[in-house]
Every structure is written in structure tokens, then in C-alpha cells.
Amino acid sequence: MPREFSATRDDVDAIAAWTVIRAARELARRLATELDPLDLTPVEFGVLVQLAAADGLSQADLARAVGVRPQSMTPLVTGLGGRGLLDRGAERGRGRLSRIRLTPAGRELLGRAYPVVHASNRWFGDSPEGQRRTGHDAAALARRRRRPGRRPGTLNR
């Protein structure tokens, strides 16, 4: 007969991946609150800032850069396009690769949102060096997640 499993709060908190997931969800909620006055979600901010960094991305490239499933990118791009924040180009259609670009209105909104999001660095302490290190560590972890050839559910080493 299998033994009944039990865990303490300390046992749960000792699972690094689960703790990071919980922290990411809390940070997303906090960032959503900060962006709400601009009528922007954290993921929409991610789309705009990724396009500012590399204008002309395909929808698939943008999904990878933002960290969402490709299927989720279609309604995001449609919604942001409908608000006049980005342009999918004239080459749209099934099987055609469309390059997505920020519009002037998208750049203007991003110009107001970026300082709000950048100010969230203070959530990680007062030291600019510590904030930079935290940001670089998080970015490195995100890049590892996107490494080609990785099987879902495995870690890259």
C-alpha cells in the first residue's frame, strides 16, 4: 500500500522551480497593476518592447521573444493592431510571412510604458548593480528555455 504523501511549507518553498513560478505570477500581477492606467498588459508591453528591439519580427519570432505560445500571438497582434499600435504589413494571408512593425502610436505608448516597467527594478532592491544582475540572470534563464533542440519538460545543461 502506498504511503500517504505529506509536505511542510518549508518543503514546498525548497522547490526552486515552483518558487520561481509563484514569484513570476506575483510579479506579473504587480506589473499589470502598474500598466493598467496605460491600458496595457504585461504581455502586450512585451510585444511592443520586443518590436522596439527588433522591428519586423514574424509572429512566430515574436511569440518566442515574448514567451507565449504561437497560437496566443494571433489575438495579441490583432488586438494591438486594432488599437493602431502595430502594423502587420501588406503581405498578409495564409502561408505568407508577415513582418510586424511598431507604428508611431505604438512607439509613443511604449515610451510612456517603458519607464513604468523599468521602475519595477526597484522591487529587487536599491542597488543598481543588484538590479542589473537580477535582470541578467532572469534573461539568461529565459534564453536557456528557448534553446533549439530542447525537449519540452527538460532542462538544458
Side-chain angles (χ1 to χ4, degrees):
M1 178 182 228
R3 232 177 95 197
E4 186 175 309
F5 180 80
S6 67
T8 66
R9 181 64 66 191
D10 287 340
D11 293 334
V12 173
D13 288 344
I15 303 170
W18 179 242
T19 301
V20 169
I21 289 167
R22 289 179 12 229
R25 288 183 177 158
E26 177 58 27
L27 291 170
R29 279 190 290 274
R30 289 176 71 178
L31 197 54
T33 299
E34 297 290 322
L35 288 170
D36 190 54
L38 297 173
D39 194 27
L40 204 59
T41 68
V43 173
E44 290 170 337
F45 169 81
V47 169
L48 298 180
V49 78
Q50 289 296 335
L51 287 172
D55 211 22
L57 293 174
S58 71
Q59 220 168 268
D61 290 338
L62 191 53
R64 278 188 289 279
V66 174
V68 299
R69 292 177 170 216
Q71 302 90 324
S72 301
M73 192 51 61
T74 299
L76 274 167
V77 167
T78 300
L80 291 170
R83 292 169 56 190
L85 302 174
L86 52 83
D87 178 40
R88 288 192 277 181
E91 295 283 325
R92 285 189 301 212
R94 190 164 181 81
R96 294 184 188 262
L97 184 65
S98 66
R99 296 293 176 180
I100 303 165
R101 291 179 170 34
L102 280 177
T103 64
R107 287 187 187 282
E108 187 276 327
L109 179 57
L110 181 59
R112 290 187 289 134
Y114 189 87
V116 171
V117 174
H118 192 269
S120 70
N121 284 351
R122 72 182 180 280
W123 300 342
F124 300 96
D126 293 331
S127 158
E129 179 54 36
Q131 293 171 2
R132 250 189 317 281
R133 193 172 41 255
T134 300
H136 288 293
D137 290 349
L141 183 59
R143 281 191 299 277
R144 282 182 60 186
R145 186 185 68 77
R146 293 191 302 263
R147 197 176 282 164
R150 183 185 68 84
R151 290 189 341 260
T154 63
L155 292 176
N156 288 324
R157 298 192 196 279

